[in-house]
Amino acid sequence: MLVQFYNVSKIYSNGVKALEDVSLKIDRGEFVFLMGPSGAGKSTMIKMLYREETPSRGQIFVASRSLVRMKKKEIPILRRSIGVVFQDFKLLENKTVYENVAFAMEVIGAHQRDKRSRVLEVIQLVGLKGKENSFPHELSGGEQQRVGIARALANRPLLLIADEPTGNLDMNTAQEIMELLLDINRKGTTVIMATHAWELVKAAHKRVITLDRGKVVSDLAPGDLKLC
Protein backbone atom coordinates (compact mmCIF):
# COMPACT_ATOMS: atom_id res chain seq x y z
CA MET A 1 0.00 0.00 0.00
CA LEU A 2 1.43 3.38 -0.99
CA VAL A 3 -1.26 5.94 -0.08
CA GLN A 4 -3.84 5.71 2.70
CA PHE A 5 -6.46 8.27 3.77
CA TYR A 6 -8.34 7.50 7.00
CA ASN A 7 -11.44 9.61 7.76
CA VAL A 8 -9.77 12.76 6.46
CA SER A 9 -11.59 16.08 6.72
CA LYS A 10 -10.35 19.57 5.93
CA ILE A 11 -12.01 22.82 6.98
CA TYR A 12 -10.16 26.00 6.03
CA SER A 13 -9.94 28.99 8.36
CA ASN A 14 -12.63 30.80 6.34
CA GLY A 15 -15.06 27.99 7.12
CA VAL A 16 -14.94 26.28 3.71
CA LYS A 17 -15.24 22.50 4.08
CA ALA A 18 -12.91 21.07 1.40
CA LEU A 19 -12.94 17.39 2.40
CA GLU A 20 -15.33 15.42 4.59
CA ASP A 21 -14.53 12.00 6.05
CA VAL A 22 -12.50 10.72 3.08
CA SER A 23 -11.10 7.20 3.34
CA LEU A 24 -9.27 5.44 0.50
CA LYS A 25 -6.24 3.31 -0.30
CA ILE A 26 -3.98 3.32 -3.37
CA ASP A 27 -1.61 0.45 -4.06
CA ARG A 28 1.94 0.76 -5.37
CA GLY A 29 1.91 0.68 -9.16
CA GLU A 30 -1.69 1.84 -9.55
CA PHE A 31 -2.88 4.55 -11.94
CA VAL A 32 -5.76 6.46 -10.36
CA PHE A 33 -7.82 9.33 -11.76
CA LEU A 34 -9.32 11.94 -9.43
CA MET A 35 -12.43 13.49 -10.91
CA GLY A 36 -15.13 15.88 -9.80
CA PRO A 37 -16.39 19.44 -10.40
CA SER A 38 -14.38 22.52 -9.45
CA GLY A 39 -14.41 22.87 -5.68
CA ALA A 40 -14.95 19.15 -5.11
CA GLY A 41 -11.74 18.80 -3.08
CA LYS A 42 -9.31 17.37 -5.64
CA SER A 43 -6.68 20.10 -5.24
CA THR A 44 -6.86 19.91 -1.45
CA MET A 45 -6.33 16.15 -1.55
CA ILE A 46 -3.35 16.54 -3.88
CA LYS A 47 -1.77 19.25 -1.73
CA MET A 48 -2.11 17.00 1.30
CA LEU A 49 -0.11 14.27 -0.44
CA TYR A 50 3.00 16.45 -0.60
CA ARG A 51 2.25 18.13 2.74
CA GLU A 52 1.36 21.60 1.47
CA GLU A 53 -1.89 21.19 3.41
CA THR A 54 -2.71 19.12 6.50
CA PRO A 55 -6.06 17.63 7.55
CA SER A 56 -8.27 19.13 10.20
CA ARG A 57 -9.07 15.57 11.22
CA GLY A 58 -7.96 12.09 10.17
CA GLN A 59 -4.72 10.40 9.12
CA ILE A 60 -2.76 10.25 5.84
CA PHE A 61 0.06 7.80 5.14
CA VAL A 62 2.43 7.76 2.17
CA ALA A 63 4.79 4.77 2.03
CA SER A 64 3.75 3.92 5.62
CA ARG A 65 4.80 7.35 6.95
CA SER A 66 2.24 9.51 8.72
CA LEU A 67 1.99 12.92 7.07
CA VAL A 68 0.02 14.25 10.04
CA ARG A 69 2.71 13.38 12.59
CA MET A 70 5.57 14.29 10.24
CA LYS A 71 8.01 16.91 11.54
CA LYS A 72 8.78 19.96 9.37
CA LYS A 73 12.36 18.83 8.79
CA GLU A 74 11.03 15.56 7.30
CA ILE A 75 8.88 17.25 4.64
CA PRO A 76 11.76 17.75 2.13
CA ILE A 77 12.55 14.03 2.40
CA LEU A 78 8.90 13.19 1.64
CA ARG A 79 8.89 15.50 -1.37
CA ARG A 80 11.95 13.81 -2.87
CA SER A 81 9.82 10.68 -3.26
CA ILE A 82 6.95 12.55 -4.96
CA GLY A 83 6.97 14.17 -8.41
CA VAL A 84 4.34 16.81 -9.24
CA VAL A 85 3.18 17.90 -12.69
CA PHE A 86 1.12 21.10 -12.95
CA GLN A 87 -1.43 22.38 -15.45
CA ASP A 88 0.54 25.59 -16.09
CA PHE A 89 3.92 23.78 -16.38
CA LYS A 90 5.74 26.04 -13.82
CA LEU A 91 9.00 26.00 -15.79
CA LEU A 92 11.84 28.44 -15.12
CA GLU A 93 11.73 30.68 -18.20
CA ASN A 94 15.39 31.71 -18.03
CA LYS A 95 16.63 28.10 -17.93
CA THR A 96 16.96 25.57 -20.75
CA VAL A 97 15.17 22.22 -20.87
CA TYR A 98 18.28 20.56 -19.43
CA GLU A 99 18.62 23.17 -16.66
CA ASN A 100 14.92 22.95 -15.72
CA VAL A 101 15.14 19.19 -15.26
CA ALA A 102 18.55 19.37 -13.54
CA PHE A 103 17.21 21.93 -11.06
CA ALA A 104 15.02 19.27 -9.42
CA MET A 105 18.14 17.21 -8.70
CA GLU A 106 20.24 20.18 -7.59
CA VAL A 107 17.68 20.98 -4.90
CA ILE A 108 18.36 17.63 -3.22
CA GLY A 109 22.15 17.82 -3.70
CA ALA A 110 22.55 15.09 -6.31
CA HIS A 111 26.10 14.22 -7.42
CA GLN A 112 27.13 15.99 -10.64
CA ARG A 113 27.88 12.77 -12.53
CA ASP A 114 24.59 11.15 -11.50
CA LYS A 115 22.71 14.32 -12.33
CA ARG A 116 23.90 14.58 -15.93
CA SER A 117 23.17 10.97 -16.85
CA ARG A 118 19.74 11.01 -15.18
CA VAL A 119 18.70 14.34 -16.75
CA LEU A 120 19.58 13.11 -20.23
CA GLU A 121 17.78 9.83 -19.51
CA VAL A 122 14.47 11.44 -18.54
CA ILE A 123 14.64 14.00 -21.36
CA GLN A 124 14.90 11.10 -23.80
CA LEU A 125 12.14 9.21 -21.96
CA VAL A 126 9.65 12.05 -22.50
CA GLY A 127 10.57 12.39 -26.18
CA LEU A 128 12.59 15.62 -26.07
CA LYS A 129 16.03 14.38 -27.12
CA GLY A 130 17.65 17.19 -29.13
CA LYS A 131 15.76 19.91 -27.22
CA GLU A 132 18.11 20.01 -24.22
CA ASN A 133 19.31 23.57 -24.97
CA SER A 134 15.91 25.03 -25.88
CA PHE A 135 14.19 27.54 -23.61
CA PRO A 136 10.52 27.18 -22.60
CA HIS A 137 9.36 30.01 -24.91
CA GLU A 138 10.81 28.06 -27.85
CA LEU A 139 8.63 25.02 -27.10
CA SER A 140 5.00 24.15 -27.77
CA GLY A 141 2.62 23.65 -24.85
CA GLY A 142 2.89 19.88 -25.18
CA GLU A 143 6.68 20.06 -25.17
CA GLN A 144 6.65 22.29 -22.11
CA GLN A 145 4.47 19.76 -20.29
CA ARG A 146 6.91 17.01 -21.28
CA VAL A 147 9.67 19.05 -19.61
CA GLY A 148 7.48 19.29 -16.51
CA ILE A 149 7.04 15.51 -16.51
CA ALA A 150 10.79 14.95 -16.99
CA ARG A 151 11.50 17.27 -14.04
CA ALA A 152 8.97 15.38 -11.89
CA LEU A 153 10.64 12.06 -12.77
CA ALA A 154 14.24 13.21 -12.26
CA ASN A 155 14.53 11.96 -8.68
CA ARG A 156 12.87 8.58 -9.40
CA PRO A 157 9.71 9.25 -7.36
CA LEU A 158 7.57 6.51 -5.85
CA LEU A 159 4.52 8.62 -6.68
CA LEU A 160 3.80 10.95 -9.59
CA ILE A 161 0.98 13.45 -9.05
CA ALA A 162 -0.43 15.12 -12.16
CA ASP A 163 -2.78 18.03 -11.42
CA GLU A 164 -4.84 18.72 -14.58
CA PRO A 165 -1.75 18.05 -16.75
CA THR A 166 -3.69 18.31 -20.03
CA GLY A 167 -5.90 21.27 -19.05
CA ASN A 168 -4.05 23.79 -21.25
CA LEU A 169 -3.54 21.46 -24.23
CA ASP A 170 -5.53 20.58 -27.36
CA MET A 171 -7.01 17.08 -27.50
CA ASN A 172 -4.35 15.53 -29.75
CA THR A 173 -1.53 16.83 -27.54
CA ALA A 174 -3.48 15.83 -24.42
CA GLN A 175 -3.72 12.27 -25.72
CA GLU A 176 0.04 12.20 -26.29
CA ILE A 177 0.69 13.39 -22.73
CA MET A 178 -1.81 10.84 -21.44
CA GLU A 179 0.00 8.02 -23.25
CA LEU A 180 3.30 9.22 -21.79
CA LEU A 181 1.87 9.12 -18.26
CA LEU A 182 0.46 5.63 -18.87
CA ASP A 183 3.86 4.48 -20.12
CA ILE A 184 5.52 5.88 -16.98
CA ASN A 185 2.99 3.94 -14.92
CA ARG A 186 3.69 0.75 -16.89
CA LYS A 187 7.35 1.13 -15.90
CA GLY A 188 6.32 0.95 -12.22
CA THR A 189 5.62 4.50 -10.99
CA THR A 190 2.33 5.04 -9.15
CA VAL A 191 0.36 7.85 -10.80
CA ILE A 192 -2.50 9.96 -9.41
CA MET A 193 -4.01 12.29 -12.00
CA ALA A 194 -6.66 14.94 -11.35
CA THR A 195 -8.59 15.79 -14.49
CA HIS A 196 -11.89 16.92 -16.01
CA ALA A 197 -11.14 15.17 -19.33
CA TRP A 198 -13.62 12.30 -19.34
CA GLU A 199 -12.62 11.24 -22.87
CA LEU A 200 -9.06 10.57 -21.68
CA VAL A 201 -10.28 8.81 -18.55
CA LYS A 202 -12.62 6.46 -20.38
CA ALA A 203 -9.97 5.52 -22.95
CA ALA A 204 -7.36 4.72 -20.29
CA HIS A 205 -9.33 1.99 -18.45
CA LYS A 206 -7.94 2.84 -15.01
CA ARG A 207 -9.45 3.30 -11.55
CA VAL A 208 -11.53 6.48 -11.14
CA ILE A 209 -12.25 8.15 -7.78
CA THR A 210 -14.88 10.89 -8.00
CA LEU A 211 -15.24 13.65 -5.41
CA ASP A 212 -18.19 15.97 -4.92
CA ARG A 213 -18.47 18.59 -2.19
CA GLY A 214 -15.53 17.08 -0.37
CA LYS A 215 -16.83 13.50 -0.30
CA VAL A 216 -15.91 10.40 -2.29
CA VAL A 217 -19.10 9.68 -4.24
CA SER A 218 -17.74 6.82 -6.35
CA ASP A 219 -14.65 4.64 -6.67
CA LEU A 220 -14.76 2.69 -9.91
CA ALA A 221 -12.43 -0.14 -10.90
CA PRO A 222 -11.35 -0.23 -14.58
CA GLY A 223 -13.95 -2.87 -15.44
CA ASP A 224 -16.77 -0.70 -14.09
CA LEU A 225 -16.13 2.19 -16.52
CA LYS A 226 -17.93 0.45 -19.41
CA LEU A 227 -21.12 0.83 -17.37
CA CYS A 228 -20.77 4.64 -17.38
Side-chain angles (χ1 to χ4, degrees):
M1 199 66 61
L2 184 63
V3 174
Q4 297 164 288
F5 277 64
Y6 291 108
N7 307 114
V8 172
S9 295
K10 176 66 176 182
I11 302 172
Y12 287 102
S13 57
N14 61 2
V16 171
K17 187 180 287 185
L19 291 176
E20 184 176 350
D21 201 30
V22 170
S23 293
L24 57 86
K25 296 179 181 181
I26 296 172
D27 285 330
R28 290 175 186 266
E30 270 200 275
F31 191 117
V32 179
F33 289 107
L34 281 182
M35 297 197 76
S38 296
K42 301 188 300 297
S43 292
T44 296
M45 183 178 287
I46 281 173
K47 287 176 181 177
M48 285 181 175
L49 285 170
Y50 54 89
R51 203 34 165 61
E52 187 172 323
E53 294 289 351
T54 54
S56 305
R57 187 173 66 249
Q59 281 285 347
I60 303 171
F61 294 89
V62 173
S64 301
R65 292 156 65 190
S66 169
L67 271 57
V68 173
R69 294 193 290 268
M70 183 171 282
K71 298 185 172 98
K72 277 194 173 181
K73 66 181 180 182
E74 297 176 298
I75 295 173
I77 299 168
L78 166 75
R79 290 178 179 170
R80 289 175 199 174
S81 66
I82 297 174
V84 186
V85 180
F86 302 95
Q87 178 176 346
D88 55 356
F89 318 137
K90 296 196 186 302
L91 302 180
L92 300 167
E93 293 295 329
N94 63 338
K95 292 186 180 293
T96 64
V97 168
Y98 181 95
E99 290 167 339
N100 264 281
V101 178
F103 184 73
M105 299 188 72
E106 289 163 7
V107 167
I108 68 163
H111 190 280
Q112 186 67 27
R113 185 184 63 238
D114 295 338
K115 182 180 74 174
R116 178 166 176 76
S117 61
R118 179 59 179 168
V119 170
L120 294 175
E121 180 184 348
V122 291
I123 288 174
Q124 181 168 354
L125 175 68
V126 301
L128 289 179
K129 187 176 181 181
K131 299 272 188 179
E132 293 85 355
N133 296 319
S134 297
F135 288 89
H137 71 269
E138 298 173 319
L139 304 174
S140 68
E143 287 171 334
Q144 289 186 62
Q145 191 57 289
R146 287 173 185 269
V147 179
I149 293 170
R151 180 183 57 195
L153 291 174
N155 293 317
R156 294 183 173 86
L158 288 172
L159 173 63
L160 182 66
I161 300 170
D163 191 2
E164 297 283 357
T166 64
N168 288 338
L169 306 174
D170 63 75
M171 183 49 71
N172 286 339
T173 307
Q175 287 170 337
E176 291 173 3
I177 294 298
M178 186 72 242
E179 187 51 48
L180 175 58
L181 291 171
L182 288 168
D183 187 52
I184 290 163
N185 174 245
R186 283 190 285 269
K187 289 180 169 71
T189 303
T190 306
V191 178
I192 299 174
M193 175 174 163
T195 185
H196 287 98
W198 176 242
E199 301 87 350
L200 297 177
V201 171
K202 201 160 187 182
H205 303 291
K206 297 294 183 182
R207 180 181 173 191
V208 182
I209 296 171
T210 304
L211 297 171
D212 192 18
R213 298 178 187 177
K215 295 182 179 181
V216 174
V217 293
S218 70
D219 188 345
L220 299 176
D224 297 328
L225 294 184
K226 60 184 177 223
L227 304 176
C228 298

